[in-house]
PDB file of all heavy atoms in Angstrom:
ATOM      1  N   THR A  90     115.184  91.221 100.401  1.00 93.00           N
ATOM      2  CA  THR A  90     113.882  91.806 100.114  1.00 93.00           C
ATOM      3  C   THR A  90     113.780  93.180 100.758  1.00 93.00           C
ATOM      4  O   THR A  90     114.436  93.476 101.754  1.00 93.00           O
ATOM      5  CB  THR A  90     112.720  90.933 100.642  1.00 93.00           C
ATOM      6  OG1 THR A  90     112.833  90.816 102.051  1.00 93.00           O
ATOM      7  CG2 THR A  90     112.712  89.576 100.001  1.00 93.00           C
ATOM      8  N   THR A  91     112.949  93.997 100.161  1.00 96.00           N
ATOM      9  CA  THR A  91     112.599  95.312 100.679  1.00 96.00           C
ATOM     10  C   THR A  91     111.102  95.462 100.495  1.00 96.00           C
ATOM     11  O   THR A  91     110.552  94.987  99.492  1.00 96.00           O
ATOM     12  CB  THR A  91     113.329  96.429  99.898  1.00 96.00           C
ATOM     13  OG1 THR A  91     114.735  96.232 100.025  1.00 96.00           O
ATOM     14  CG2 THR A  91     112.947  97.801 100.396  1.00 96.00           C
ATOM     15  N   GLN A  92     110.435  96.098 101.450  1.00 97.00           N
ATOM     16  CA  GLN A  92     108.996  96.313 101.291  1.00 97.00           C
ATOM     17  C   GLN A  92     108.647  97.752 101.595  1.00 97.00           C
ATOM     18  O   GLN A  92     109.303  98.411 102.391  1.00 97.00           O
ATOM     19  CB  GLN A  92     108.190  95.368 102.171  1.00 97.00           C
ATOM     20  CG  GLN A  92     108.317  95.625 103.645  1.00 97.00           C
ATOM     21  CD  GLN A  92     107.480  94.648 104.453  1.00 97.00           C
ATOM     22  OE1 GLN A  92     107.025  93.622 103.951  1.00 97.00           O
ATOM     23  NE2 GLN A  92     107.253  94.956 105.710  1.00 97.00           N
ATOM     24  N   GLU A  93     107.611  98.239 100.916  1.00 97.00           N
ATOM     25  CA  GLU A  93     107.053  99.573 101.137  1.00 97.00           C
ATOM     26  C   GLU A  93     105.547  99.425 101.247  1.00 97.00           C
ATOM     27  O   GLU A  93     104.943  98.590 100.581  1.00 97.00           O
ATOM     28  CB  GLU A  93     107.396 100.521  99.985  1.00 97.00           C
ATOM     29  CG  GLU A  93     108.843 100.971  99.949  1.00 97.00           C
ATOM     30  CD  GLU A  93     109.217 101.863 101.110  1.00 97.00           C
ATOM     31  OE1 GLU A  93     108.390 102.721 101.514  1.00 97.00           O
ATOM     32  OE2 GLU A  93     110.325 101.696 101.643  1.00 97.00           O
ATOM     33  N   THR A  94     104.960 100.271 102.087  1.00 95.00           N
ATOM     34  CA  THR A  94     103.520 100.250 102.312  1.00 95.00           C
ATOM     35  C   THR A  94     102.963 101.649 102.081  1.00 95.00           C
ATOM     36  O   THR A  94     103.598 102.635 102.460  1.00 95.00           O
ATOM     37  CB  THR A  94     103.208  99.789 103.751  1.00 95.00           C
ATOM     38  OG1 THR A  94     103.789  98.500 103.949  1.00 95.00           O
ATOM     39  CG2 THR A  94     101.714  99.715 104.002  1.00 95.00           C
ATOM     40  N   THR A  95     101.808 101.727 101.463  1.00 91.00           N
ATOM     41  CA  THR A  95     101.128 103.002 101.278  1.00 91.00           C
ATOM     42  C   THR A  95      99.705 102.895 101.805  1.00 91.00           C
ATOM     43  O   THR A  95      99.100 101.840 101.772  1.00 91.00           O
ATOM     44  CB  THR A  95     101.124 103.447  99.801  1.00 91.00           C
ATOM     45  OG1 THR A  95     100.610 104.768  99.712  1.00 91.00           O
ATOM     46  CG2 THR A  95     100.320 102.520  98.924  1.00 91.00           C
ATOM     47  N   GLY A  96      99.214 104.001 102.298  1.00 83.00           N
ATOM     48  CA  GLY A  96      97.851 104.034 102.791  1.00 83.00           C
ATOM     49  C   GLY A  96      97.836 104.393 104.253  1.00 83.00           C
ATOM     50  O   GLY A  96      98.866 104.631 104.847  1.00 83.00           O
ATOM     51  N   PRO A  97      96.696 104.480 104.833  1.00 83.00           N
ATOM     52  CA  PRO A  97      95.438 104.135 104.182  1.00 83.00           C
ATOM     53  C   PRO A  97      94.974 105.213 103.209  1.00 83.00           C
ATOM     54  O   PRO A  97      95.287 106.376 103.377  1.00 83.00           O
ATOM     55  CB  PRO A  97      94.455 104.004 105.338  1.00 83.00           C
ATOM     56  CG  PRO A  97      95.011 104.865 106.413  1.00 83.00           C
ATOM     57  CD  PRO A  97      96.493 104.850 106.234  1.00 83.00           C
ATOM     58  N   VAL A  98      94.289 104.755 102.201  1.00 80.00           N
ATOM     59  CA  VAL A  98      93.611 105.642 101.265  1.00 80.00           C
ATOM     60  C   VAL A  98      92.136 105.296 101.334  1.00 80.00           C
ATOM     61  O   VAL A  98      91.765 104.152 101.582  1.00 80.00           O
ATOM     62  CB  VAL A  98      94.123 105.491  99.806  1.00 80.00           C
ATOM     63  CG1 VAL A  98      95.556 105.945  99.695  1.00 80.00           C
ATOM     64  CG2 VAL A  98      93.984 104.073  99.298  1.00 80.00           C
ATOM     65  N   LEU A  99      91.297 106.285 101.174  1.00 72.00           N
ATOM     66  CA  LEU A  99      89.863 106.052 101.139  1.00 72.00           C
ATOM     67  C   LEU A  99      89.522 105.585  99.737  1.00 72.00           C
ATOM     68  O   LEU A  99      89.709 106.312  98.767  1.00 72.00           O
ATOM     69  CB  LEU A  99      89.074 107.320 101.491  1.00 72.00           C
ATOM     70  CG  LEU A  99      87.556 107.214 101.405  1.00 72.00           C
ATOM     71  CD1 LEU A  99      87.035 106.154 102.373  1.00 72.00           C
ATOM     72  CD2 LEU A  99      86.916 108.555 101.699  1.00 72.00           C
ATOM     73  N   PHE A 100      89.075 104.368  99.632  1.00 68.00           N
ATOM     74  CA  PHE A 100      88.752 103.784  98.344  1.00 68.00           C
ATOM     75  C   PHE A 100      87.265 103.963  98.098  1.00 68.00           C
ATOM     76  O   PHE A 100      86.446 103.171  98.528  1.00 68.00           O
ATOM     77  CB  PHE A 100      89.148 102.315  98.335  1.00 68.00           C
ATOM     78  CG  PHE A 100      88.814 101.604  97.060  1.00 68.00           C
ATOM     79  CD1 PHE A 100      89.265 102.086  95.858  1.00 68.00           C
ATOM     80  CD2 PHE A 100      88.061 100.463  97.078  1.00 68.00           C
ATOM     81  CE1 PHE A 100      88.954 101.446  94.682  1.00 68.00           C
ATOM     82  CE2 PHE A 100      87.741  99.805  95.909  1.00 68.00           C
ATOM     83  CZ  PHE A 100      88.190 100.296  94.710  1.00 68.00           C
ATOM     84  N   SER A 101      86.915 105.092  97.478  1.00 62.00           N
ATOM     85  CA  SER A 101      85.523 105.414  97.197  1.00 62.00           C
ATOM     86  C   SER A 101      85.480 106.608  96.265  1.00 62.00           C
ATOM     87  O   SER A 101      86.403 107.401  96.227  1.00 62.00           O
ATOM     88  CB  SER A 101      84.791 105.749  98.491  1.00 62.00           C
ATOM     89  OG  SER A 101      83.461 106.096  98.253  1.00 62.00           O
ATOM     90  N   GLU A 102      84.410 106.742  95.541  1.00 61.00           N
ATOM     91  CA  GLU A 102      84.214 107.929  94.720  1.00 61.00           C
ATOM     92  C   GLU A 102      83.871 109.107  95.619  1.00 61.00           C
ATOM     93  O   GLU A 102      82.920 109.021  96.389  1.00 61.00           O
ATOM     94  CB  GLU A 102      83.076 107.714  93.724  1.00 61.00           C
ATOM     95  CG  GLU A 102      83.374 106.721  92.640  1.00 61.00           C
ATOM     96  CD  GLU A 102      84.344 107.256  91.614  1.00 61.00           C
ATOM     97  OE1 GLU A 102      84.420 108.492  91.439  1.00 61.00           O
ATOM     98  OE2 GLU A 102      85.036 106.441  90.995  1.00 61.00           O
ATOM     99  N   PRO A 103      84.635 110.215  95.566  1.00 57.00           N
ATOM    100  CA  PRO A 103      84.267 111.365  96.388  1.00 57.00           C
ATOM    101  C   PRO A 103      83.001 112.021  95.855  1.00 57.00           C
ATOM    102  O   PRO A 103      82.746 112.014  94.663  1.00 57.00           O
ATOM    103  CB  PRO A 103      85.468 112.300  96.260  1.00 57.00           C
ATOM    104  CG  PRO A 103      86.100 111.923  94.974  1.00 57.00           C
ATOM    105  CD  PRO A 103      85.827 110.461  94.776  1.00 57.00           C
ATOM    106  N   SER A 104      82.221 112.548  96.760  1.00 65.00           N
ATOM    107  CA  SER A 104      80.981 113.211  96.384  1.00 65.00           C
ATOM    108  C   SER A 104      80.609 114.180  97.481  1.00 65.00           C
ATOM    109  O   SER A 104      80.978 113.989  98.629  1.00 65.00           O
ATOM    110  CB  SER A 104      79.871 112.169  96.218  1.00 65.00           C
ATOM    111  OG  SER A 104      78.625 112.782  96.126  1.00 65.00           O
ATOM    112  N   ASP A 105      79.868 115.203  97.148  1.00 66.00           N
ATOM    113  CA  ASP A 105      79.414 116.138  98.177  1.00 66.00           C
ATOM    114  C   ASP A 105      77.928 115.954  98.473  1.00 66.00           C
ATOM    115  O   ASP A 105      77.289 116.810  99.047  1.00 66.00           O
ATOM    116  CB  ASP A 105      79.727 117.585  97.787  1.00 66.00           C
ATOM    117  CG  ASP A 105      79.050 118.009  96.491  1.00 66.00           C
ATOM    118  OD1 ASP A 105      78.325 117.187  95.888  1.00 66.00           O
ATOM    119  OD2 ASP A 105      79.249 119.149  96.070  1.00 66.00           O
ATOM    120  N   SER A 106      77.368 114.792  98.142  1.00 77.00           N
ATOM    121  CA  SER A 106      75.934 114.576  98.343  1.00 77.00           C
ATOM    122  C   SER A 106      75.578 114.318  99.802  1.00 77.00           C
ATOM    123  O   SER A 106      74.453 114.571 100.211  1.00 77.00           O
ATOM    124  CB  SER A 106      75.449 113.405  97.489  1.00 77.00           C
ATOM    125  OG  SER A 106      75.866 112.174  98.052  1.00 77.00           O
ATOM    126  N   GLY A 107      76.493 113.780 100.580  1.00 81.00           N
ATOM    127  CA  GLY A 107      76.220 113.481 101.975  1.00 81.00           C
ATOM    128  C   GLY A 107      75.567 112.139 102.225  1.00 81.00           C
ATOM    129  O   GLY A 107      75.368 111.749 103.367  1.00 81.00           O
ATOM    130  N   ASP A 108      75.218 111.390 101.185  1.00 82.00           N
ATOM    131  CA  ASP A 108      74.543 110.097 101.348  1.00 82.00           C
ATOM    132  C   ASP A 108      75.553 109.024 101.750  1.00 82.00           C
ATOM    133  O   ASP A 108      75.946 108.182 100.960  1.00 82.00           O
ATOM    134  CB  ASP A 108      73.823 109.716 100.057  1.00 82.00           C
ATOM    135  CG  ASP A 108      73.092 108.389 100.176  1.00 82.00           C
ATOM    136  OD1 ASP A 108      72.791 107.971 101.317  1.00 82.00           O
ATOM    137  OD2 ASP A 108      72.849 107.765  99.137  1.00 82.00           O
ATOM    138  N   ALA A 109      75.983 109.042 103.016  1.00 82.00           N
ATOM    139  CA  ALA A 109      77.042 108.151 103.496  1.00 82.00           C
ATOM    140  C   ALA A 109      76.561 106.748 103.825  1.00 82.00           C
ATOM    141  O   ALA A 109      77.372 105.855 104.033  1.00 82.00           O
ATOM    142  CB  ALA A 109      77.712 108.760 104.725  1.00 82.00           C
ATOM    143  N   ASP A 110      75.251 106.522 103.899  1.00 79.00           N
ATOM    144  CA  ASP A 110      74.749 105.189 104.231  1.00 79.00           C
ATOM    145  C   ASP A 110      74.133 104.471 103.026  1.00 79.00           C
ATOM    146  O   ASP A 110      73.528 103.415 103.175  1.00 79.00           O
ATOM    147  CB  ASP A 110      73.750 105.253 105.388  1.00 79.00           C
ATOM    148  CG  ASP A 110      72.428 105.902 105.001  1.00 79.00           C
ATOM    149  OD1 ASP A 110      72.343 106.520 103.917  1.00 79.00           O
ATOM    150  OD2 ASP A 110      71.475 105.805 105.796  1.00 79.00           O
ATOM    151  N   CYS A 111      74.278 105.058 101.848  1.00 79.00           N
ATOM    152  CA  CYS A 111      73.826 104.450 100.589  1.00 79.00           C
ATOM    153  C   CYS A 111      72.302 104.304 100.492  1.00 79.00           C
ATOM    154  O   CYS A 111      71.801 103.449  99.767  1.00 79.00           O
ATOM    155  CB  CYS A 111      74.476 103.086 100.362  1.00 79.00           C
ATOM    156  SG  CYS A 111      76.272 103.065 100.508  1.00 79.00           S
ATOM    157  N   SER A 112      71.560 105.132 101.207  1.00 83.00           N
ATOM    158  CA  SER A 112      70.093 105.021 101.181  1.00 83.00           C
ATOM    159  C   SER A 112      69.460 105.718  99.980  1.00 83.00           C
ATOM    160  O   SER A 112      68.296 105.507  99.691  1.00 83.00           O
ATOM    161  CB  SER A 112      69.498 105.616 102.458  1.00 83.00           C
ATOM    162  OG  SER A 112      69.692 107.025 102.483  1.00 83.00           O
ATOM    163  N   GLY A 113      70.203 106.574  99.321  1.00 82.00           N
ATOM    164  CA  GLY A 113      69.669 107.301  98.187  1.00 82.00           C
ATOM    165  C   GLY A 113      69.251 108.716  98.515  1.00 82.00           C
ATOM    166  O   GLY A 113      68.878 109.475  97.628  1.00 82.00           O
ATOM    167  N   SER A 114      69.286 109.089  99.778  1.00 84.00           N
ATOM    168  CA  SER A 114      68.959 110.459 100.165  1.00 84.00           C
ATOM    169  C   SER A 114      69.774 110.840 101.404  1.00 84.00           C
ATOM    170  O   SER A 114      70.328 109.984 102.089  1.00 84.00           O
ATOM    171  CB  SER A 114      67.464 110.601 100.458  1.00 84.00           C
ATOM    172  OG  SER A 114      67.123 109.810 101.577  1.00 84.00           O
ATOM    173  N   PHE A 115      69.820 112.136 101.693  1.00 85.00           N
ATOM    174  CA  PHE A 115      70.557 112.637 102.849  1.00 85.00           C
ATOM    175  C   PHE A 115      69.639 112.707 104.059  1.00 85.00           C
ATOM    176  O   PHE A 115      68.567 113.303 103.998  1.00 85.00           O
ATOM    177  CB  PHE A 115      71.137 114.023 102.535  1.00 85.00           C
ATOM    178  CG  PHE A 115      71.868 114.632 103.689  1.00 85.00           C
ATOM    179  CD1 PHE A 115      73.070 114.092 104.118  1.00 85.00           C
ATOM    180  CD2 PHE A 115      71.357 115.728 104.351  1.00 85.00           C
ATOM    181  CE1 PHE A 115      73.749 114.637 105.200  1.00 85.00           C
ATOM    182  CE2 PHE A 115      72.024 116.296 105.429  1.00 85.00           C
ATOM    183  CZ  PHE A 115      73.226 115.743 105.860  1.00 85.00           C
ATOM    184  N   ASN A 116      70.045 112.058 105.173  1.00 87.00           N
ATOM    185  CA  ASN A 116      69.243 112.066 106.397  1.00 87.00           C
ATOM    186  C   ASN A 116      70.154 111.857 107.609  1.00 87.00           C
ATOM    187  O   ASN A 116      71.371 111.781 107.470  1.00 87.00           O
ATOM    188  CB  ASN A 116      68.142 111.001 106.327  1.00 87.00           C
ATOM    189  CG  ASN A 116      68.705 109.631 106.037  1.00 87.00           C
ATOM    190  OD1 ASN A 116      69.672 109.209 106.657  1.00 87.00           O
ATOM    191  ND2 ASN A 116      68.114 108.929 105.080  1.00 87.00           N
ATOM    192  N   ALA A 117      69.567 111.762 108.787  1.00 90.00           N
ATOM    193  CA  ALA A 117      70.346 111.639 110.022  1.00 90.00           C
ATOM    194  C   ALA A 117      71.208 110.383 110.050  1.00 90.00           C
ATOM    195  O   ALA A 117      72.288 110.380 110.646  1.00 90.00           O
ATOM    196  CB  ALA A 117      69.412 111.658 111.228  1.00 90.00           C
ATOM    197  N   ALA A 118      70.774 109.318 109.398  1.00 89.00           N
ATOM    198  CA  ALA A 118      71.571 108.093 109.366  1.00 89.00           C
ATOM    199  C   ALA A 118      72.906 108.314 108.658  1.00 89.00           C
ATOM    200  O   ALA A 118      73.897 107.649 108.971  1.00 89.00           O
ATOM    201  CB  ALA A 118      70.790 106.973 108.685  1.00 89.00           C
ATOM    202  N   ASP A 119      72.938 109.261 107.734  1.00 86.00           N
ATOM    203  CA  ASP A 119      74.195 109.574 107.047  1.00 86.00           C
ATOM    204  C   ASP A 119      75.210 110.175 108.012  1.00 86.00           C
ATOM    205  O   ASP A 119      76.393 109.845 107.976  1.00 86.00           O
ATOM    206  CB  ASP A 119      73.947 110.530 105.879  1.00 86.00           C
ATOM    207  CG  ASP A 119      73.058 109.897 104.831  1.00 86.00           C
ATOM    208  OD1 ASP A 119      73.394 108.796 104.364  1.00 86.00           O
ATOM    209  OD2 ASP A 119      72.029 110.508 104.497  1.00 86.00           O
ATOM    210  N   LEU A 120      74.738 111.075 108.865  1.00 88.00           N
ATOM    211  CA  LEU A 120      75.615 111.665 109.869  1.00 88.00           C
ATOM    212  C   LEU A 120      76.153 110.584 110.794  1.00 88.00           C
ATOM    213  O   LEU A 120      77.346 110.546 111.090  1.00 88.00           O
ATOM    214  CB  LEU A 120      74.886 112.745 110.660  1.00 88.00           C
ATOM    215  CG  LEU A 120      75.668 113.367 111.830  1.00 88.00           C
ATOM    216  CD1 LEU A 120      76.967 113.992 111.355  1.00 88.00           C
ATOM    217  CD2 LEU A 120      74.800 114.400 112.540  1.00 88.00           C
ATOM    218  N   LEU A 121      75.292 109.685 111.237  1.00 88.00           N
ATOM    219  CA  LEU A 121      75.736 108.592 112.104  1.00 88.00           C
ATOM    220  C   LEU A 121      76.755 107.701 111.398  1.00 88.00           C
ATOM    221  O   LEU A 121      77.748 107.286 111.998  1.00 88.00           O
ATOM    222  CB  LEU A 121      74.547 107.766 112.574  1.00 88.00           C
ATOM    223  CG  LEU A 121      73.575 108.476 113.511  1.00 88.00           C
ATOM    224  CD1 LEU A 121      72.371 107.590 113.794  1.00 88.00           C
ATOM    225  CD2 LEU A 121      74.263 108.891 114.792  1.00 88.00           C
ATOM    226  N   ALA A 122      76.533 107.394 110.121  1.00 85.00           N
ATOM    227  CA  ALA A 122      77.469 106.561 109.367  1.00 85.00           C
ATOM    228  C   ALA A 122      78.827 107.247 109.240  1.00 85.00           C
ATOM    229  O   ALA A 122      79.877 106.609 109.395  1.00 85.00           O
ATOM    230  CB  ALA A 122      76.909 106.243 107.981  1.00 85.00           C
ATOM    231  N   ALA A 123      78.822 108.552 108.988  1.00 84.00           N
ATOM    232  CA  ALA A 123      80.073 109.290 108.840  1.00 84.00           C
ATOM    233  C   ALA A 123      80.834 109.370 110.156  1.00 84.00           C
ATOM    234  O   ALA A 123      82.050 109.173 110.203  1.00 84.00           O
ATOM    235  CB  ALA A 123      79.792 110.693 108.298  1.00 84.00           C
TER     236      ALA A 123
END
Side-chain angles (χ1 to χ4, degrees):
T90 61
T91 300
Q92 68 180 15
E93 287 292 321
T94 303
T95 188
V98 294
L99 177 61
F100 178 55
S101 178
E102 291 287 334
S104 168
D105 60 0
S106 75
D108 181 22
D110 70 347
C111 309
S112 68
S114 64
F115 178 69
N116 55 47
D119 297 306
L120 175 58
L121 293 175

